[in-house]
Amino acid sequence: MSSFFVDLRPMNRSATHVVTEFILLGFPGCWKIQIFLFSLFLVIYVLTLLGNGAIIYAVRYNPRLHTPMYFLLGNFSFLEIWYVSSTVPNMLANILSKTKAISFSGCFLQFYFFFSLGTTECLFLAVMAYDRYLAICHPLQYPAIMTGRFCGKLVSFCWLIGFLGYPIPIFFISQLPFCGPNIIDHFLCDMDPLMALSCAPAPITECIFYTQSSLVLFFTSIYILRSYILLLRAVFQVPSAAGRRKAFSTCGSHLVVVSLFYGTVMVMYVSPTYGIPTLWQKILTLVYSVMTPLFNPLIYSLRNKDMKLALRNVLFGMRVHQNS
């Protein structure tokens, strides 16, 4: 698969220099700053893997968490591990690299996985909003609708749509002539920097790609917003204060994650980025691609009593096993 993008590139550019690799500039700074950034991102990456891995383990082995909401949460944590892994390992290697080079095929593979996993995350957040809407607005029908089989279909739908949506447009982008320069002022291979390096304009391909991305963001965000409007209306009709607090605790964490992810993604891919300084574009990308997967385990565990108890049992069980 690594030769997918390389072997099929146009071969009619014998008179020009064909780009075989790109240079990812990453974050500016002296060597001390680079070492600091490497240490910081490494810690963030390890904590992200441990936090999301703990949620997966707790959902898998704690019988109290064998419910649709936690099944979706466990799959969401699995997605977050892959999402952060599509960028951070290469970013860490790039910081320590003298050349800061990434191969042509490697760049477009990262581009594909980054956008496919991001699209899958949008769909997962919409499905999780649907789950909370059913649980609070239609509690009597909820067990009959959100069966294990139906949850499995929803999860499969998210993964399939996320990964089947981008092969064709990214393939056509990879067929554009890249004849130099090959410097990307970013820490990953993204749409705008790659299109800026193309030797020939491709307005149709660019329009299709951004239309597709915007439609995914628009429809999932509208659906999530609608679900929460109906959900909040139902919560305020709950007679007991304890019932309202429980409903808010289960939905508040999801709403925080949605706001953090969609807020930064829409700034990058829906609003024009031409007036945004490059450094701020990198920071915004860091927020939704690196920081959000780190915050998710903290948000869900700190605002959810069942998850806190399950994670405490996981940690306690590990300590007992180590001591024995």
Side-chain angles (χ1 to χ4, degrees):
M1 187 174 181
S2 62
S3 62
F4 175 72
F5 295 107
V6 178
D7 296 338
L8 298 178
R9 285 185 289 169
M11 302 302 292
N12 59 350
R13 289 172 284 140
S14 57
T16 59
H17 171 66
V18 178
V19 171
T20 59
E21 64 181 18
F22 295 100
I23 307 299
L24 294 174
L25 295 183
F27 290 92
C30 62
W31 181 244
K32 290 184 178 179
I33 293 178
Q34 297 299 310
I35 293 299
F36 169 76
L37 291 175
F38 176 85
S39 303
L40 176 64
F41 293 141
L42 179 61
V43 170
I44 290 174
Y45 183 56
V46 172
L47 290 177
T48 302
L49 296 182
L50 291 176
N52 285 285
I55 288 181
I56 295 172
Y57 185 88
V59 172
R60 174 66 179 83
Y61 292 103
N62 192 314
R64 295 184 61 184
L65 302 185
H66 291 176
T67 63
M69 182 179 78
Y70 293 110
F71 173 78
L72 295 174
L73 179 56
N75 279 274
F76 186 68
S77 293
F78 178 75
L79 167 64
E80 293 290 64
I81 289 176
W82 282 103
Y83 189 42
V84 74
S85 296
S86 69
T87 57
V88 174
N90 184 75
M91 181 169 60
L92 293 174
N94 182 266
I95 291 175
L96 298 180
S97 172
K98 293 183 179 180
T99 62
K100 298 187 179 296
I102 182 172
S103 67
F104 185 93
S105 57
C107 183
F108 276 92
L109 282 173
Q110 184 189 64
F111 185 25
Y112 168 70
F113 280 107
F114 181 67
F115 271 87
S116 296
L117 290 166
T119 301
T120 305
E121 178 150 348
C122 291
L123 297 172
F124 255 102
L125 290 172
V127 167
M128 293 169 76
Y130 172 70
D131 172 74
R132 291 300 83 208
Y133 162 74
L134 282 180
I136 292 176
C137 298
H138 302 283
L140 297 180
Q141 295 91 341
Y142 179 75
I145 297 176
M146 292 299 290
T147 61
R149 185 175 182 180
F150 184 60
C151 287
K153 289 182 178 180
L154 289 175
V155 169
S156 300
F157 169 82
C158 293
W159 284 100
L160 285 174
I161 297 300
F163 275 81
L164 293 179
Y166 286 99
I168 294 177
I170 291 181
F171 169 77
F172 280 110
I173 294 172
S174 72
Q175 301 304 291
L176 296 175
F178 293 92
C179 45
N182 65 338
I183 298 175
I184 298 176
D185 191 6
H186 212 315
F187 62 86
L188 54 78
C189 294
D190 205 352
M191 179 65 179
D192 283 341
L194 285 171
M195 294 304 298
L197 295 181
S198 173
C199 303
I204 296 178
T205 302
E206 194 171 359
C207 180
I208 291 174
F209 186 91
Y210 277 115
T211 300
Q212 180 176 333
S213 301
S214 299
L215 287 175
V216 170
L217 289 170
F218 176 76
F219 282 112
T220 54
S221 61
I222 290 298
Y223 181 81
I224 292 171
L225 181 63
R226 175 182 175 276
S227 297
Y228 272 97
I229 290 175
L230 296 174
L231 189 149
L232 290 174
R233 188 175 67 179
V235 167
F236 285 121
Q237 294 175 353
V238 175
S240 66
R244 287 195 297 269
R245 281 197 301 270
K246 183 177 180 180
F248 276 122
S249 66
T250 56
C251 300
S253 56
H254 183 237
L255 196 56
V256 170
V257 172
V258 168
S259 302
L260 184 64
F261 180 78
Y262 274 92
T264 52
V265 169
M266 285 188 171
V267 171
M268 285 296 299
Y269 297 107
V270 177
S271 62
T273 59
Y274 300 108
I276 304 177
T278 304
L279 180 60
W280 277 106
Q281 292 185 34
K282 297 176 185 178
I283 293 174
L284 288 171
T285 305
L286 268 180
V287 171
Y288 71 80
S289 65
V290 178
M291 300 309 297
T292 302
L294 170 68
F295 291 150
N296 284 348
L298 297 175
I299 294 171
Y300 281 113
S301 61
L302 291 177
R303 296 185 61 89
N304 190 294
K305 292 182 179 179
D306 291 335
M307 181 57 68
K308 280 194 290 187
L309 180 61
L311 291 175
R312 193 178 299 122
N313 291 337
V314 168
L315 295 175
F316 181 76
M318 288 182 176
R319 291 176 183 174
V320 171
H321 180 72
Q322 290 175 355
N323 292 334
S324 61

